[in-house]
Amino acid sequence: MLNHRRRLPLAVAAGACLLLASGAAAAPEDTFTATSAPSHVRPSQPAATFIVTLTNTSPSLPADRATIPIPNGFEVDENSVEAPATQAGSCLASEWDPDVNDDRIRLDRPSDNRRLCPGATLTVVFEAATPATEGVFSWNPALRGEDDEEEDIDFTLSGPAPTVVVDGTGPAVTILQKPLDPSNSTSAS
């Protein structure tokens, strides 16, 4: 049986372990948010302008690379891609370098001081033709950085992936109120 002199140091040590464990579990993550526009397009629409915006919400880690998968059926004009990044912290504003193939847009920072610091945004603007298939398509981007040992760090997307709805069905319109016939009134709802 423990005497009261040994109980106090044991209780303090146990409390310190719990505090350390809870602090480790609550460590901030390297996260980012993503949005896209437009939210709705028609099927087989000739090239429209799309914008995907990535914001680094990590508390401390800058990002070096970004990838935006191209949904099946979309065709991105590689010559139309622009990717300006805003300034934040020690990272300067810059134009990131795009590389486009059939299934993704890959973006790299142009130099060391052109990373995407916490709080900065990377806005990817491009022309894309839409698929003939209707449905909900995700751009589902990824953001990456490096730690002190130059190991890759994957950022976690905070919130849903940005999507676009491809829909060719026109809305059903019903006139609920109309003026009498004949009438000088021009209001209807």
Side-chain angles (χ1 to χ4, degrees):
M1 182 169 185
L2 292 174
N3 65 31
H4 69 282
R5 289 185 184 162
R6 288 189 170 178
R7 287 183 191 163
L8 184 59
L10 261 163
V12 170
C17 288
L18 285 173
L19 183 62
L20 288 172
S22 66
E29 287 187 58
D30 297 312
T31 60
F32 73 103
T33 59
T35 62
S36 68
S39 60
H40 291 74
V41 293
R42 293 187 312 274
S44 302
Q45 177 176 322
T49 300
F50 287 83
I51 302 170
V52 177
T53 304
L54 310 179
T55 303
N56 183 354
T57 55
S58 166
S60 60
L61 187 68
D64 299 304
R65 297 180 303 287
T67 304
I68 302 172
I70 300 171
N72 287 339
F74 280 80
E75 293 181 20
V76 173
D77 176 4
E78 65 180 312
N79 296 318
S80 71
V81 181
E82 296 178 5
T86 62
Q87 180 174 351
S90 61
C91 303
L92 302 177
S94 64
E95 182 77 23
W96 280 34
D97 299 324
D99 174 35
V100 180
N101 69 22
D102 291 338
D103 65 350
R104 56 114 181 98
I105 302 170
R106 181 187 159 98
L107 301 137
D108 293 303
R109 61 180 169 84
S111 64
D112 280 345
N113 61 345
R114 306 292 175 160
R115 304 170 86 190
L116 193 67
C117 273
T121 59
L122 176 65
T123 304
V124 187
V125 182
F126 54 92
E127 300 288 320
T130 59
T133 307
E134 294 187 348
V136 179
F137 297 84
S138 173
W139 293 105
N140 202 20
L143 200 62
R144 290 187 175 85
E146 291 179 351
D147 64 13
D148 292 339
E149 287 80 34
E150 297 186 0
E151 296 287 328
D152 278 355
I153 300 287
D154 287 328
F155 286 62
T156 302
L157 177 61
S158 178
T163 59
V164 61
V165 176
V166 177
D167 181 7
T169 305
V173 178
T174 303
I175 297 176
L176 301 175
Q177 294 178 358
K178 60 183 179 182
L180 298 174
D181 184 17
S183 172
N184 291 332
S185 174
T186 58
S187 64
S189 62

